[in-house]
Amino acid sequence: MNPIRRTSCIALTLGLILCSCTPKGWTEWEKTVIERSDSVMYVCVMPRDSAILRAHSRNFGQEELQSAQLKTLLDKMYRTLTDPSQDGVGIAAPQIGINRRVILVMRYDKPGQPIEPYLNIQIDSLLGEKEPGPEGCLSLPPYRGIVRRYPRVQISYVKPDGTPVTEKVEGYSAIIFQHECDHLDGILYTDRADTVFVNEKWAAERQGFSYEKPDWWR
Ligand code: NI
C-alpha cells in the first residue's frame, strides 16, 4: 500500500475508533446516576472513586442541553452541594459520578451569593499573579491544603437556557472556578497544593457522615 493511502487508512480507522468511543447523548450510566440518585447524591471520594475523579469530562451536545435529564441533574447537584452534610462552595459533575463539563459555583462576587450552574465551561485565561489560599474538597475529606491560584479568570460557558456567555470573575469565586474546572480535567487541588493537612475540625463536625455507595452503584 502506498504511504498516502496507508496514512488515510490509519486516519479513517482512528476516526471510527474515536467516534465509537464518544457516545452521542446520555450514556446508560449517566441516566442511571441521574434517575436513581436521591436528591442528595452520593459524592465520589478518593481513592475509592479515582477512576471517575481522574477522568476527563466531555461537553454536552445540543440535545442534552435541552433535555429533562439535565434539569434533574442540576437540581440534584444543587441539593447535594447545599445539603448540611456537604455544605460546599462548589461542585463538579465528576464528583457525583458523571464525567461531563458542568459545575456549580457559589458567586461570592454577586449580591446574595447565589449558587449558579455552568455548562460546557472552560477557562479562557488566568489573570494576575498567583496567590496562596486555603482549599478543601468534598472528594477529599477531611483534608485541607494551601494552593496558589490566580486572582482573576476569564471563563466561557453555556447557561441552562442555552445562552453562551464569556465573563471575567475575580475574588474567591475565581478560585472556586479554577478548583472546579480542574475537576473536569481529572485534577485535584492536592496535585497543586504547597501543603496538605488533616482538618480535625472538619472531621469532628461530620462524625457519622456516611460515605457508603448506593446499592445500584457499579
Ligand atoms: Ni473539589
Side-chain angles (χ1 to χ4, degrees), residues 87 130 143 148:
D87 199 24
K130 279 184 181 177
Y143 300 100
R148 280 173 292 134

mmCIF file of all heavy atoms in Angstrom, residues 87 130 143 148:
data_model
loop_
_atom_site.group_PDB
_atom_site.id
_atom_site.type_symbol
_atom_site.label_atom_id
_atom_site.label_comp_id
_atom_site.label_asym_id
_atom_site.label_seq_id
_atom_site.Cartn_x
_atom_site.Cartn_y
_atom_site.Cartn_z
ATOM 1 N N ASP A 87 -22.221 21.032 52.446
ATOM 2 C CA ASP A 87 -22.015 22.442 52.757
ATOM 3 C C ASP A 87 -20.771 22.999 52.059
ATOM 4 O O ASP A 87 -19.942 23.664 52.663
ATOM 5 C CB ASP A 87 -21.888 22.612 54.286
ATOM 6 C CG ASP A 87 -22.126 24.060 54.707
ATOM 7 O OD1 ASP A 87 -22.811 24.771 53.948
ATOM 8 O OD2 ASP A 87 -21.604 24.472 55.759
ATOM 9 N N LYS A 130 -0.303 34.569 40.854
ATOM 10 C CA LYS A 130 -0.816 33.544 41.772
ATOM 11 C C LYS A 130 -0.638 33.962 43.224
ATOM 12 O O LYS A 130 0.390 34.548 43.576
ATOM 13 C CB LYS A 130 -0.069 32.236 41.555
ATOM 14 C CG LYS A 130 -0.553 31.403 40.392
ATOM 15 C CD LYS A 130 0.234 30.096 40.399
ATOM 16 C CE LYS A 130 -0.149 29.188 39.266
ATOM 17 N NZ LYS A 130 0.694 27.967 39.282
ATOM 18 N N TYR A 143 -9.413 16.527 54.404
ATOM 19 C CA TYR A 143 -8.156 17.265 54.249
ATOM 20 C C TYR A 143 -8.388 18.732 53.880
ATOM 21 O O TYR A 143 -9.468 19.116 53.407
ATOM 22 C CB TYR A 143 -7.274 16.609 53.182
ATOM 23 C CG TYR A 143 -6.912 15.201 53.514
ATOM 24 C CD1 TYR A 143 -7.600 14.127 52.942
ATOM 25 C CD2 TYR A 143 -5.902 14.932 54.421
ATOM 26 C CE1 TYR A 143 -7.286 12.821 53.272
ATOM 27 C CE2 TYR A 143 -5.571 13.617 54.759
ATOM 28 C CZ TYR A 143 -6.271 12.571 54.178
ATOM 29 O OH TYR A 143 -5.960 11.273 54.513
ATOM 30 N N ARG A 148 -1.811 27.761 45.450
ATOM 31 C CA ARG A 148 -1.647 29.069 44.802
ATOM 32 C C ARG A 148 -2.492 29.121 43.538
ATOM 33 O O ARG A 148 -2.387 28.259 42.678
ATOM 34 C CB ARG A 148 -0.166 29.315 44.484
ATOM 35 C CG ARG A 148 0.607 29.794 45.714
ATOM 36 C CD ARG A 148 2.081 29.880 45.485
ATOM 37 N NE ARG A 148 2.650 28.552 45.300
ATOM 38 C CZ ARG A 148 3.518 28.236 44.337
ATOM 39 N NH1 ARG A 148 3.923 29.139 43.484
ATOM 40 N NH2 ARG A 148 3.981 27.010 44.242
#
